[in-house]
């Protein structure tokens, strides 16, 4: 499977108003080898990250259920741990707007972490508060 580029992600968001990003094939295999190999039918894997015109949502503990609007996202950055790259998103919480909370997005997605982080920053600069 070919990795998505920023241009493909941008076009998909413009066309559909939403981009759903799932785990990459290695992570899918680790989570469900029987389904991955086609030995048993499985349901389509749920998206782990969704980017919409409204904002950003990720399937991780602590991420607001309805997602985070662009205006509440303060910063997006890459954190390197050994050879892995993780995307951290700092948000302003609605109950305490003067405080920030940092959430780590899921790892091993079908989009390269650096590409995804750059694209989210580009969208944030257009839709939210410029970084």
């Amino acid at each position: 499977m070919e990795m998505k580029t920023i241009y493909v992600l941008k076009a998909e968001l413009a066309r559909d108003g939403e981009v759903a990003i799932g785990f990459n094939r290695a992570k899918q295999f680790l989570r469900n080898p029987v389904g991955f190999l086609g030995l048993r039918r499985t349901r389509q894997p749920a998206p782990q990250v969704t980017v919409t015109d409204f904002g950003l949502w990720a399937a991780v503990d602590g991420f607001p259920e309805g997602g985070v609007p662009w205006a509440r996202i303060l910063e997006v950055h890459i954190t390197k741990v050994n050879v892995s790259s993780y995307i951290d998103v700092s948000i302003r919480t609605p109950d305490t707007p003067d405080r920030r909370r940092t959430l780590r997005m899921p790892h091993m997605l079908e989009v390269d972490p650096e590409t995804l982080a750059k694209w989210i920053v580009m969208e944030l600069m257009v839709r939210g508060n410029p970084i």
Side-chain angles (χ1 to χ4, degrees):
M1 179 180 198
E2 190 175 310
M3 288 290 209
K4 291 184 178 183
T5 66
I6 289 175
Y7 303 107
V8 170
L9 295 167
K10 189 179 226 78
E12 189 174 330
L13 182 61
R15 183 186 65 235
D16 301 334
E18 174 179 293
V19 177
I21 301 167
F23 284 127
N24 66 20
R25 294 180 65 75
K27 181 74 170 193
Q28 290 174 20
F29 176 75
L30 292 172
R31 291 188 70 162
N32 185 0
V34 173
F36 179 81
L37 296 172
L39 301 175
R40 183 176 7 156
R41 274 200 154 149
T42 61
R43 57 180 156 68
Q44 187 72 2
Q48 298 302 303
V49 173
T50 304
V51 180
T52 67
D53 291 332
F54 166 78
L56 182 65
W57 174 85
V60 294
D61 289 337
F63 220 91
E65 193 171 317
V68 178
W70 290 111
R72 286 192 21 226
I73 298 173
L74 300 171
E75 163 177 82
V76 177
H77 58 274
I78 296 283
T79 302
K80 296 267 189 180
V81 179
N82 297 325
V83 295
S84 298
S85 296
Y86 295 90
I87 301 172
D88 290 336
V89 179
S90 294
I91 64 169
R92 186 175 25 251
T93 58
D95 49 340
T96 54
D98 56 329
R99 298 188 67 194
R100 87 174 29 209
R101 190 166 136 213
T102 301
L103 303 166
R104 180 159 287 171
M105 295 185 45
H107 187 54
M108 296 180 75
L109 298 172
E110 62 186 355
V111 177
D112 176 67
E114 284 85 4
T115 301
L116 183 57
K118 286 177 190 174
W119 177 60
I120 292 172
V121 167
M122 289 169 63
E123 293 298 324
L124 180 60
M125 292 177 72
V126 171
R127 300 167 188 273
N129 298 323
I131 297 175

